[in-house]
Structure formats: structure tokens, C-alpha cells
Amino acid sequence: VLLATSASFAQDFGKIIRADEKYAALAFNEALELYLDVYDKKMGNVDYVAAKIANCYRLTGQPTESLKWFNRVSATTNMEPINYLYYAQALAASEKYEVAVVNYKKFLDNYPNDSRGLLGIEACDRAKDMAKMPPVLGSMTITLPILAPYFSIALFNLFSTKY
């Protein structure tokens, strides 16, 4: 029984190494498959694997899945400080600004000179302010089809001090 268990562990450890190699080579979808397989078997460092899964989803543009996995990672006691930033970004993308700000601050506790934390907090604050404002864009119908290519939406800086 001990030999079978050690062989299984070695095989799963080998999968983690292969997944890490795929991740380093930017083959995130392939790495994700390997990490998920290892995580399902609960072998190896599940906290490490869960963080890699969250980042694979983040890097493949799957914010909902990324947020789900970062929620798991945040419940661990040994979360890498950079993951606070990624978790905060996923929360902000899901419009969970209050919790995002908390995680941006945890990131800043570890990286006080990193502007991404401060900019993230500022973006969350602005998003909360904008959510309170009435919509400013209306609809416009262009009746002359020949003029349509010459019209576009113009965005204005609502927080400018110049009016």
C-alpha cells in the first residue's frame, strides 16, 4: 500500500512540475488542466495549486472562475502577497468594491511603493461614486445614413476640476 501511495504522489508531483513548466511557458490552458487534475486529487500543496488555478483563469480572461478560485485562496493562511492584488482586481471587476479595497490595502502592506494598489483603490472609489450618479449618456438616432461613419461616442472626464 505504501508503494502505491508513493507512486501516486510522485505522479501527481510530476504533474505539478509539468504544470509549472506550462505556466512558465505561458501555456495557461494546458497548465490549468494539469493543476485542476492535481487539485481534484487533493495531492501536494493544495494552496499553491489553488493559487495557480486562480491565476490561470485570470490570465485566460475568465474573471468569474478566477474570482471563485481567489476566494478559496484568500481563505488560506499562506496567501502570496501578489495574489491580494489579483484578488482585488477580480473583486473590482465583479463590482465588489468594498472587499476589493480591503485586498488592495493588504497588497499595499506588502508592496507600499507599488502604484497598482493605490490606483486600484482610487478606481474602486471612483466606480462607487459613478454608481451613485445618474446616467449621462443618452441615445441618439442618426437619420442620414451617409453621416453615420462620422459620429462616435465621446467620453468626458466627469471628475475634472475644469468645467
Side-chain angles (χ1 to χ4, degrees):
V1 175
L2 183 59
L3 288 175
T5 305
S6 5
S8 176
F9 178 77
Q11 184 180 14
D12 288 330
F13 187 70
K15 277 189 182 178
I16 293 173
I17 292 172
R18 283 197 320 269
D20 286 346
E21 289 169 351
K22 297 288 185 186
Y23 188 94
L26 309 180
F28 302 117
N29 286 317
E30 294 173 36
L32 180 60
E33 289 178 28
L34 294 167
Y35 287 131
L36 285 169
D37 189 41
V38 171
Y39 186 87
D40 288 341
K41 293 178 183 174
K42 302 291 185 215
M43 296 295 286
N45 183 345
V46 292
D47 296 343
Y48 171 82
V49 174
K52 287 294 192 173
I53 292 169
N55 278 302
C56 283
Y57 280 124
R58 176 181 68 85
L59 294 165
T60 56
Q62 300 177 60
T64 305
E65 286 297 314
S66 176
L67 180 59
K68 180 175 91 173
W69 282 91
F70 275 121
N71 279 329
R72 290 180 188 181
V73 174
S74 71
T76 66
T77 56
N78 56 352
M79 184 163 152
E80 290 184 40
I82 191 69
N83 285 328
Y84 288 115
L85 172 68
Y86 301 145
Y87 184 37
Q89 291 171 339
L91 287 162
S94 298
E95 299 179 5
K96 297 176 181 170
Y97 303 118
E98 298 297 329
V99 185
V101 168
V102 169
N103 282 280
Y104 278 122
K105 288 179 180 177
K106 287 179 182 179
F107 171 73
L108 285 170
D109 288 343
N110 293 284
Y111 300 100
N113 296 324
D114 196 318
S115 62
R116 294 176 293 180
L118 293 173
L119 292 172
I121 291 171
E122 183 181 336
C124 286
D125 291 341
R126 286 189 178 196
K128 287 186 289 188
D129 291 343
M130 287 187 70
K132 297 174 189 172
M133 297 173 62
V136 292
L137 293 177
S139 61
M140 180 172 95
T141 304
I142 300 173
T143 54
L144 300 173
I146 196 154
L147 295 177
Y150 300 102
F151 288 89
S152 66
I153 296 175
L155 300 176
F156 298 93
N157 184 354
L158 299 175
F159 298 97
S160 174
T161 55
K162 298 177 185 176
Y163 290 99

